[in-house]
Amino acid sequence: MMSNTLKVEIHSFSYKKGGIPKDNSGNGGGFVFDCRGILNPGRIEEYKIQTGNDVAVQDYLEEKTQMPDFLKAIKSIVSINIEDYLARGFENLQINFGCTGGQHRSVYSAIKIAEFIKEKYPEVEVVINHDEQPQLNK
């Protein structure tokens, strides 16, 4: 087993504002998942000022949209790469989630996939960047 640590950088972003985040690792890319096919909670008045980090928005996405199926498919896809990258000693993988404003669906997806990776692959370093919601970055 190689001693390299795999760093997975996850971004939520806005297609309207900043566009797809640049991969600064030198790998030149990674995954880009378009969340715009999921109903947008930002179109509902009570959620407009909230983000995908807020429980009410999360409940809406989980109960009223196709988000659970969307994330289930993404978990399968990214797991294949993470396991391969770990086996081969790769050091960087970028995963990007975009929606219209970078506030609801992409933020939620980034948070949930980060949680999934941390739980399933504790040896992986996970860094999350909310490009349009910097107050959520930890």
Side-chain angles (χ1 to χ4, degrees):
M1 184 80 183
M2 298 187 192
S3 62
N4 297 358
T5 301
L6 175 61
K7 176 181 174 182
V8 177
E9 193 171 314
I10 301 173
H11 287 261
S12 66
F13 72 93
S14 162
Y15 278 101
K16 266 186 168 171
K17 299 173 187 167
I20 298 170
K22 183 171 180 355
D23 178 2
N24 294 315
S25 73
N27 277 1
F31 290 107
V32 179
F33 295 105
D34 188 342
C35 304
R36 292 175 294 183
I38 306 296
L39 284 174
N40 186 359
R43 297 195 177 278
I44 297 166
E45 196 57 44
E46 65 185 287
Y47 304 133
K48 277 191 194 287
I49 61 165
Q50 295 185 21
T51 73
N53 194 42
D54 289 296
V55 172
V57 172
Q58 293 184 357
D59 289 347
Y60 174 87
L61 287 169
E62 290 166 10
E63 295 163 14
K64 303 233 180 338
T65 76
Q66 293 292 309
M67 184 61 84
D69 292 335
F70 182 71
L71 289 184
K72 184 178 178 193
I74 291 169
K75 288 173 184 177
S76 295
I77 293 167
V78 300
S79 292
I80 291 167
N81 272 53
I82 290 171
E83 287 163 19
D84 183 78
Y85 279 25
L86 286 170
R88 296 198 286 158
F90 285 16
E91 296 179 359
N92 295 287
L93 174 62
Q94 187 164 314
I95 304 171
N96 304 297
F97 293 95
C99 63
T100 307
Q103 183 176 335
H104 299 96
R105 296 162 292 180
S106 63
V107 167
Y108 173 87
S109 298
I111 290 168
K112 293 302 175 184
I113 291 300
E115 289 171 358
F116 166 77
I117 293 169
K118 286 176 186 173
E119 186 180 319
K120 187 170 180 183
Y121 306 102
E123 70 274 33
V124 170
E125 177 191 354
V126 178
V127 177
I128 191 164
N129 294 293
H130 299 292
D131 295 3
E132 301 300 332
Q133 305 296 318
Q135 76 279 11
L136 299 178
N137 291 337
K138 295 177 186 131

